[in-house]
PDB file of all heavy atoms in Angstrom:
ATOM      1  N   VAL A 134      86.357  97.715 115.299  1.00  0.00           N
ATOM      2  CA  VAL A 134      86.628  98.760 116.314  1.00  0.00           C
ATOM      3  C   VAL A 134      87.872  99.536 115.830  1.00  0.00           C
ATOM      4  O   VAL A 134      87.902 100.776 115.972  1.00  0.00           O
ATOM      5  CB  VAL A 134      86.710  98.157 117.658  1.00  0.00           C
ATOM      6  CG1 VAL A 134      87.203  99.263 118.615  1.00  0.00           C
ATOM      7  CG2 VAL A 134      85.432  97.604 118.017  1.00  0.00           C
ATOM      8  N   LEU A 135      88.850  98.814 115.374  1.00  0.00           N
ATOM      9  CA  LEU A 135      90.154  99.463 114.989  1.00  0.00           C
ATOM     10  C   LEU A 135      89.866 100.376 113.882  1.00  0.00           C
ATOM     11  O   LEU A 135      90.347 101.494 113.806  1.00  0.00           O
ATOM     12  CB  LEU A 135      91.212  98.395 114.604  1.00  0.00           C
ATOM     13  CG  LEU A 135      92.571  98.866 114.261  1.00  0.00           C
ATOM     14  CD1 LEU A 135      93.290  99.448 115.457  1.00  0.00           C
ATOM     15  CD2 LEU A 135      93.326  97.670 113.701  1.00  0.00           C
ATOM     16  N   GLY A 136      89.146  99.988 112.747  1.00  0.00           N
ATOM     17  CA  GLY A 136      88.910 100.721 111.699  1.00  0.00           C
ATOM     18  C   GLY A 136      88.146 101.963 111.952  1.00  0.00           C
ATOM     19  O   GLY A 136      88.338 103.065 111.448  1.00  0.00           O
ATOM     20  N   LEU A 137      87.079 101.835 112.707  1.00  0.00           N
ATOM     21  CA  LEU A 137      86.212 102.987 113.156  1.00  0.00           C
ATOM     22  C   LEU A 137      86.997 103.815 113.976  1.00  0.00           C
ATOM     23  O   LEU A 137      86.821 105.152 113.771  1.00  0.00           O
ATOM     24  CB  LEU A 137      85.029 102.483 113.970  1.00  0.00           C
ATOM     25  CG  LEU A 137      83.957 101.665 113.111  1.00  0.00           C
ATOM     26  CD1 LEU A 137      82.865 101.128 114.024  1.00  0.00           C
ATOM     27  CD2 LEU A 137      83.323 102.600 112.064  1.00  0.00           C
ATOM     28  N   THR A 138      87.914 103.457 114.874  1.00  0.00           N
ATOM     29  CA  THR A 138      88.693 104.382 115.662  1.00  0.00           C
ATOM     30  C   THR A 138      89.677 105.140 114.628  1.00  0.00           C
ATOM     31  O   THR A 138      89.781 106.356 114.835  1.00  0.00           O
ATOM     32  CB  THR A 138      89.696 103.538 116.653  1.00  0.00           C
ATOM     33  OG1 THR A 138      88.827 102.864 117.614  1.00  0.00           O
ATOM     34  CG2 THR A 138      90.582 104.471 117.379  1.00  0.00           C
ATOM     35  N   ALA A 139      90.279 104.462 113.685  1.00  0.00           N
ATOM     36  CA  ALA A 139      91.035 105.204 112.767  1.00  0.00           C
ATOM     37  C   ALA A 139      90.306 106.214 111.961  1.00  0.00           C
ATOM     38  O   ALA A 139      90.837 107.317 111.667  1.00  0.00           O
ATOM     39  CB  ALA A 139      91.701 104.125 111.853  1.00  0.00           C
ATOM     40  N   CYS A 140      89.062 105.930 111.682  1.00  0.00           N
ATOM     41  CA  CYS A 140      88.127 106.852 110.848  1.00  0.00           C
ATOM     42  C   CYS A 140      87.875 108.072 111.690  1.00  0.00           C
ATOM     43  O   CYS A 140      88.202 109.198 111.212  1.00  0.00           O
ATOM     44  CB  CYS A 140      86.906 106.103 110.401  1.00  0.00           C
ATOM     45  SG  CYS A 140      85.749 107.139 109.596  1.00  0.00           S
ATOM     46  N   PHE A 141      87.441 107.973 112.918  1.00  0.00           N
ATOM     47  CA  PHE A 141      87.038 109.118 113.777  1.00  0.00           C
ATOM     48  C   PHE A 141      88.309 109.856 114.220  1.00  0.00           C
ATOM     49  O   PHE A 141      88.238 110.970 114.382  1.00  0.00           O
ATOM     50  CB  PHE A 141      86.189 108.641 114.893  1.00  0.00           C
ATOM     51  CG  PHE A 141      84.772 108.316 114.599  1.00  0.00           C
ATOM     52  CD1 PHE A 141      84.305 106.996 114.310  1.00  0.00           C
ATOM     53  CD2 PHE A 141      83.780 109.399 114.274  1.00  0.00           C
ATOM     54  CE1 PHE A 141      83.017 106.797 113.979  1.00  0.00           C
ATOM     55  CE2 PHE A 141      82.600 109.103 113.903  1.00  0.00           C
ATOM     56  CZ  PHE A 141      82.185 107.802 113.767  1.00  0.00           C
ATOM     57  N   SER A 142      89.362 109.142 114.479  1.00  0.00           N
ATOM     58  CA  SER A 142      90.611 109.759 114.811  1.00  0.00           C
ATOM     59  C   SER A 142      91.098 110.719 113.620  1.00  0.00           C
ATOM     60  O   SER A 142      91.503 111.888 113.836  1.00  0.00           O
ATOM     61  CB  SER A 142      91.653 108.862 115.170  1.00  0.00           C
ATOM     62  OG  SER A 142      92.933 109.484 115.465  1.00  0.00           O
ATOM     63  N   ALA A 143      90.989 110.230 112.344  1.00  0.00           N
ATOM     64  CA  ALA A 143      91.347 110.878 111.236  1.00  0.00           C
ATOM     65  C   ALA A 143      90.329 112.112 111.126  1.00  0.00           C
ATOM     66  O   ALA A 143      90.723 113.241 110.646  1.00  0.00           O
ATOM     67  CB  ALA A 143      91.314 110.001 110.053  1.00  0.00           C
ATOM     68  N   LEU A 144      89.124 111.951 111.364  1.00  0.00           N
ATOM     69  CA  LEU A 144      88.082 113.032 111.243  1.00  0.00           C
ATOM     70  C   LEU A 144      88.514 114.157 112.139  1.00  0.00           C
ATOM     71  O   LEU A 144      88.515 115.311 111.781  1.00  0.00           O
ATOM     72  CB  LEU A 144      86.613 112.448 111.592  1.00  0.00           C
ATOM     73  CG  LEU A 144      85.524 113.416 111.459  1.00  0.00           C
ATOM     74  CD1 LEU A 144      85.237 113.639 110.014  1.00  0.00           C
ATOM     75  CD2 LEU A 144      84.249 112.835 112.115  1.00  0.00           C
ATOM     76  N   PHE A 145      88.857 113.935 113.407  1.00  0.00           N
ATOM     77  CA  PHE A 145      89.214 114.977 114.376  1.00  0.00           C
ATOM     78  C   PHE A 145      90.558 115.574 113.924  1.00  0.00           C
ATOM     79  O   PHE A 145      90.686 116.891 114.005  1.00  0.00           O
ATOM     80  CB  PHE A 145      89.273 114.458 115.737  1.00  0.00           C
ATOM     81  CG  PHE A 145      87.894 114.340 116.411  1.00  0.00           C
ATOM     82  CD1 PHE A 145      87.441 113.046 116.779  1.00  0.00           C
ATOM     83  CD2 PHE A 145      87.243 115.390 116.813  1.00  0.00           C
ATOM     84  CE1 PHE A 145      86.265 112.847 117.378  1.00  0.00           C
ATOM     85  CE2 PHE A 145      85.970 115.293 117.445  1.00  0.00           C
ATOM     86  CZ  PHE A 145      85.514 113.985 117.671  1.00  0.00           C
ATOM     87  N   ALA A 146      91.474 114.699 113.571  1.00  0.00           N
ATOM     88  CA  ALA A 146      92.879 115.266 113.271  1.00  0.00           C
ATOM     89  C   ALA A 146      92.790 116.129 112.049  1.00  0.00           C
ATOM     90  O   ALA A 146      93.452 117.207 111.966  1.00  0.00           O
ATOM     91  CB  ALA A 146      93.761 114.066 113.053  1.00  0.00           C
ATOM     92  N   SER A 147      92.048 115.721 111.105  1.00  0.00           N
ATOM     93  CA  SER A 147      92.038 116.461 109.831  1.00  0.00           C
ATOM     94  C   SER A 147      91.222 117.822 110.012  1.00  0.00           C
ATOM     95  O   SER A 147      91.493 118.875 109.412  1.00  0.00           O
ATOM     96  CB  SER A 147      91.326 115.619 108.735  1.00  0.00           C
ATOM     97  OG  SER A 147      89.964 115.405 109.133  1.00  0.00           O
ATOM     98  N   SER A 148      90.315 117.911 110.985  1.00  0.00           N
ATOM     99  CA  SER A 148      89.654 119.104 111.251  1.00  0.00           C
ATOM    100  C   SER A 148      90.561 120.215 111.904  1.00  0.00           C
ATOM    101  O   SER A 148      90.391 121.327 111.826  1.00  0.00           O
ATOM    102  CB  SER A 148      88.369 118.835 112.088  1.00  0.00           C
ATOM    103  OG  SER A 148      88.614 118.427 113.355  1.00  0.00           O
ATOM    104  N   SER A 149      91.517 119.633 112.706  1.00  0.00           N
ATOM    105  CA  SER A 149      92.467 120.498 113.302  1.00  0.00           C
ATOM    106  C   SER A 149      93.576 120.886 112.326  1.00  0.00           C
ATOM    107  O   SER A 149      94.210 121.945 112.572  1.00  0.00           O
ATOM    108  CB  SER A 149      93.244 119.857 114.473  1.00  0.00           C
ATOM    109  OG  SER A 149      94.094 118.751 114.020  1.00  0.00           O
ATOM    110  N   ALA A 150      93.685 120.188 111.160  1.00  0.00           N
ATOM    111  CA  ALA A 150      94.760 120.574 110.212  1.00  0.00           C
ATOM    112  C   ALA A 150      94.578 121.952 109.537  1.00  0.00           C
ATOM    113  O   ALA A 150      95.413 122.511 109.093  1.00  0.00           O
ATOM    114  CB  ALA A 150      94.862 119.473 109.170  1.00  0.00           C
TER     115      ALA A 150
END
Side-chain angles (χ1 to χ4, degrees):
V134 171
L135 183 68
L137 290 172
T138 298
C140 178
F141 283 100
S142 178
L144 186 69
F145 282 111
S147 62
S148 67
S149 71

